[in-house]
Amino acid sequence: MSTAKPANGPTKHIEHHHAHHFDSAEHEYVTAKQGVWLFLCTEILMFGGLFVAYLIYHRIYPEVFTVGSKFTDWRYGSLNTIVLLTSSLTMAMGIHNVQIGKNDKAFMNLFITVLCGCGFMFIKYLEYSHKIHEGLLPGSWFHGNFEELHHMTGLEIPKNLALYFSFYYMMTGLHGIHVLIGMCLIIWTMIRLKRGEFSPDHYTALEGVGLFWHLVDLVWIYLFPLLYLVS
Amino acid sequence: MSNNTSAPHANPNPSRPTPNSGSGHAPGQGHASANHSDSHADDHGSGHHIVPASTFYKVFAALICLTFLTVAASRIDMGFFNDIVAFGIATVKAGLVLAIFMHLKYDDMMNRVVIGCAFFFLVVLFFFCEIDQITRVVYHSGL
């Protein structure tokens, strides 16, 4: 039985017993971690596929992307990047604090991570609502006024501009769903933390959720230049 | 050095790191093993590398600086190099997140291989799609 107790935090501490098919708790931990990494591979390939699609259509219709990128605001994008990087820091600090037994601090770290996630979704909501207002919707729902768009950008508006927004909403939307899922997972670990299920000897689930959250940040690190910086 | 006193993970040679601790050693690493009992299967706190908080803050500062850099660079037109610089900086940031925040630098080689494969096959996908696109020849029908 583990006698390592958190230095502070909930005084109740739920013992962790590793599943019988593992040699030890360490074996269980390493296996779980590897499983999460394998899952992250599938995530990278999924988002990567969307990047490849973007590349292909960028080659066929370069003007669609040159014009479309004028409608993304790099200031919102940069702010979102900073918000997610901060959330990655607080997530890493959360795990760090559990490793050294400071469960109260860890809880606060995780709470701030969730708040950053909320901040990200709020900024995303501002961007989306602006675009929806302008009629810049994906695919067949696109109803932007070409005259107005021409005035705004000073550019020749390609007839299939909606293609850009198909990519924009698909990529940021899928990423946004991952942010929401990540936030739910972090809240789950916060509940488990409060119940005393994590200690320096056992924090496997927290590690796994942390890896998922860092992946969400990683995807955004690539999405940001693609949609907001290059044209 | 990592000192592992519990029997299932007894390391006969303390100067050789145990498989699950990385090559780096943090000053704080010893703390987790300070109060665990010997020879019990559920102890593994001492096997884990704990990255010092200062490392996290330094990496965070670097990531923020790189963000500013990439935004600044996007405002300068470098022609052909625009995309390369933007994604080059993004790759450096990704590398930092993967190595430090996601712990790959201190982790098993296996996890590095696993994620390396994902990126490798993504590159393969990009490569073949790109080759297809750039080697297309447009024919105009005489009809």
Side-chain angles (χ1 to χ4, degrees):
Chain A
M1 258 158 290
S2 163
T3 55
K5 287 198 169 29
N8 63 21
T11 46
K12 60 181 185 284
H13 170 63
I14 297 176
E15 300 291 347
H16 172 72
H17 300 282
H18 65 85
H20 70 93
H21 55 282
F22 293 109
D23 296 339
S24 65
E26 180 62 18
H27 184 200
E28 187 184 55
Y29 172 80
V30 167
T31 307
K33 217 159 131 172
Q34 203 174 98
V36 175
W37 276 108
L38 287 164
F39 168 66
L40 296 189
C41 284
T42 70
E43 293 279 287
I44 285 169
L45 288 165
M46 177 172 67
F47 280 100
L50 290 171
F51 275 83
V52 170
Y54 183 105
L55 194 84
I56 290 170
Y57 279 97
H58 191 293
R59 267 216 185 277
I60 304 172
Y61 303 111
E63 67 284 355
V64 168
F65 293 84
T66 312
V67 174
S69 62
K70 295 274 177 280
F71 296 100
T72 56
D73 191 338
W74 62 270
R75 292 165 303 178
Y76 280 133
S78 306
L79 190 57
N80 262 346
T81 306
I82 293 175
V83 165
L84 276 189
L85 289 174
T86 307
S87 73
S88 262
L89 173 70
T90 54
M91 185 78 225
M93 284 308 298
I95 295 173
H96 175 83
N97 280 321
V98 168
Q99 283 178 317
I100 57 174
K102 298 204 162 84
N103 282 14
D104 278 348
K105 277 194 180 170
F107 189 84
M108 188 47 73
N109 284 135
L110 294 179
F111 180 66
I112 294 173
T113 309
V114 174
L115 280 185
C116 287
C118 292
F120 180 91
M121 293 314 294
F122 177 69
I123 294 166
K124 192 106 255 126
Y125 158 77
L126 292 176
E127 287 182 276
Y128 274 27
S129 57
H130 179 74
K131 287 193 173 55
I132 291 167
H133 178 73
E134 297 284 320
L136 304 174
L137 286 163
S140 58
W141 294 308
F142 182 88
H143 61 273
N145 183 322
F146 283 95
E147 296 284 305
E148 212 179 288
L149 297 177
H150 176 66
H151 273 288
M152 275 165 66
T153 59
L155 294 168
E156 179 73 40
I157 309 290
K159 290 279 172 282
N160 56 348
L161 183 63
L163 178 64
Y164 181 83
F165 294 98
S166 296
F167 277 106
Y168 174 82
Y169 284 105
M170 184 67 214
M171 295 174 91
T172 59
L174 188 64
H175 179 261
I177 289 170
H178 279 73
V179 171
L180 288 170
I181 292 172
M183 283 163 61
C184 291
L185 287 171
I186 295 171
I187 291 170
W188 171 65
T189 59
M190 284 166 72
I191 293 169
R192 290 189 65 186
L193 185 64
K194 264 278 171 269
R195 283 200 206 138
E197 289 179 36
F198 296 133
S199 69
D201 278 353
H202 175 66
Y203 54 92
T204 310
L206 192 59
E207 181 84 48
V209 168
L211 284 173
F212 181 78
W213 189 257
H214 291 308
L215 180 91
V216 166
D217 186 25
L218 203 67
V219 171
W220 183 259
I221 282 171
Y222 279 105
L223 265 187
F224 169 57
L226 188 79
L227 297 173
Y228 295 87
L229 299 183
V230 306
S231 56
Chain B
M1 286 297 159
S2 67
N3 265 311
N4 207 322
T5 57
S6 64
H9 305 291
N11 188 352
N13 184 355
S15 64
R16 184 167 49 91
T18 57
N20 291 315
S21 68
S23 51
H25 292 278
Q29 191 186 355
H31 298 338
S33 57
N35 53 354
H36 79 268
S37 61
D38 292 9
S39 67
H40 208 283
D42 271 75
D43 289 330
H44 62 252
S46 57
H48 293 175
H49 180 265
I50 298 179
V51 179
S54 60
T55 307
F56 286 137
Y57 286 111
K58 280 186 226 162
V59 167
F60 174 70
L63 286 167
I64 298 293
C65 288
L66 287 169
T67 305
F68 279 109
L69 183 67
T70 197
V71 172
S74 72
R75 318 211 69 69
I76 306 166
D77 184 31
M78 290 168 280
F80 173 75
F81 290 101
N82 279 337
D83 293 353
I84 297 175
V85 167
F87 289 103
I89 297 176
T91 304
V92 173
K93 288 165 79 177
L96 281 172
V97 170
L98 280 163
I100 313 293
F101 283 161
M102 294 171 98
H103 235 241
L104 275 182
K105 182 177 167 217
Y106 313 100
D107 216 353
D108 274 354
M109 179 58 93
M110 189 61 192
N111 291 329
R112 290 196 277 268
V113 168
V114 162
I115 209 64
C117 282
F119 283 110
F120 172 72
F121 282 106
L122 196 57
V123 166
V124 169
L125 181 61
F126 271 113
F127 178 73
F128 281 106
C129 291
E130 192 64 5
I131 291 284
D132 174 349
Q133 295 281 304
I134 64 180
T135 56
R136 289 189 185 186
V137 180
V138 179
Y139 286 102
H140 291 287
S141 166
L143 297 170

